[in-house]
Amino acid sequence: MKIRNYFLSHQSTKKLLFQVFVTLVSLLASSLAFTRDEIGVAAAVNTTTTDNFYDPSGMFEERRLVEEGYKIIQNRTIETDEKGKAQMILIDGTAFTIGPNSRVILDKFVYNPETADGFLEMQATGLLRLVGGKVTKKNAATINTSVATVGIRGGIVIVDSDNESTSAAFVYGQEMEVIPLQNQGGRTVLTEDGFVVEVNDPYDDIETPELLTAEALASYSAEFEGQEEDEEEDSESESEEESEEEQT
């Protein structure tokens, strides 16, 4: 109960930060020029992130290095290396951050700037944080993993997935829905944020959601934001090795 009270005490601050963040990314997205096929831009990239294209049969065709300012195209696969992260901003203000050793495929994105109508659907493996923009205020963004489908409307979700399990943390928002891939009747809908839903079997029902603790949230943040320290440590280690070689 102490952890829950601590989490809830930050609701107003969290909501304010979310509103400021969405405003900033919306301004950034609207200030850029996009072609018809381009749906967003890479706002920040750390180490190796690639944009991979596969033909309709699934055969690999092309790989491009993603750097800051890189324009995002629908149906491409964005991948990070073991220390990488990348933050993408779509033209409606939706922002998503990809953690290390992760992959996101932007399957479908439709947005009408005049009415703010549209929808977003993607596939994810690894660690993903999504902050909903204008599209998700009306229709939930859909994140498909190997064992579940996660929907988030008007808020923030962190999805951590691999081939066998999916964890969806409802950080903030109107509603989060989680459905086991092979069990539509196991659908779980949360209208109160601050909980984590686990899916460990696509055929089983979902167990009672657990509290999203401050410790768990900090751990996620470290995965998204803490890679620079690792790079500095590696750089220092390499410098020490070079110094030892010179002395010998």
Side-chain angles (χ1 to χ4, degrees), residues 34-50:
F34 296 92
T35 67
R36 183 175 181 179
D37 294 331
E38 295 168 347
I39 62 174
V41 64
V45 180
N46 181 14
T47 70
T48 305
T49 299
T50 56

Side-chain angles (χ1 to χ4, degrees), residues 137-181:
K137 293 183 183 300
K138 294 186 176 182
N139 298 302
T142 301
I143 303 167
N144 297 308
T145 73
S146 58
V147 298
T149 296
V150 179
I152 179 71
R153 186 160 62 89
I156 305 172
V157 65
I158 298 174
V159 177
D160 191 3
S161 63
D162 55 29
N163 292 332
E164 299 179 349
S165 65
T166 292
S167 172
F170 188 18
V171 181
Y172 172 76
Q174 300 173 36
E175 180 181 284
M176 183 180 79
E177 177 185 65
V178 182
I179 306 174
L181 202 58

